[in-house]
Amino acid sequence: MLKVFKCSKINLHNTVKNIKTGIPLRCLDVMGCGAFLLSNYQKDLDEHFKDGKNIAIYRSLEEAYDKCNYYLNHEDERKKIAYEGYLTVKKYYNYE
């Protein structure tokens, strides 16, 4: 799966509606391999990551569509966010 994440331009994540708290492991998996993540808004993600810096967050389907279109057309920015996400996960979310 990690190779699929890394080779994908955008990894779209949508949290199951009954999950209200926590950071989904899939999000950490995607960012931990240096891949770009576009995820729906969740309070815990918003508290630990910064939209547009180390993750991309959407709050509606329209915003998800717009952000997909934007980041597909702004490769350097997308790669920078993916790299910052990787550094954040590496620093704060490891086995130690």
Side-chain angles (χ1 to χ4, degrees):
M1 270 319 280
L2 300 179
K3 187 172 183 178
V4 171
F5 296 152
K6 184 67 177 165
C7 292
S8 299
K9 290 184 179 183
I10 295 178
N11 290 278
L12 187 60
H13 177 263
N14 189 36
T15 306
V16 180
K17 291 186 188 246
N18 65 344
I19 297 175
K20 303 295 183 199
T21 62
I23 298 172
L25 182 58
R26 177 62 52 92
C27 293
L28 297 177
D29 289 343
V30 170
M31 291 184 286
C33 69
F36 180 83
L37 177 66
L38 175 60
S39 180
N40 65 305
Y41 173 84
Q42 269 197 276
K43 183 181 176 193
D44 290 315
L45 278 176
D46 196 35
E47 289 176 1
H48 295 265
F49 299 93
K50 183 166 174 43
D51 186 25
K53 179 174 176 11
N54 52 18
I55 192 172
I57 296 175
Y58 66 90
R59 289 176 169 75
S60 68
L61 289 178
E62 293 81 16
E63 187 178 15
Y65 176 82
D66 291 342
K67 285 192 173 188
C68 279
N69 193 29
Y70 177 84
Y71 286 117
L72 285 172
N73 291 303
H74 294 85
E75 185 172 354
D76 291 341
E77 189 174 350
R78 186 180 74 239
K79 287 182 176 182
K80 183 178 179 187
I81 291 169
Y83 183 68
E84 290 295 326
Y86 165 75
L87 292 177
T88 302
V89 170
K90 182 179 172 184
K91 182 175 182 179
Y92 297 107
Y93 301 94
N94 55 49
Y95 288 111
E96 295 173 5

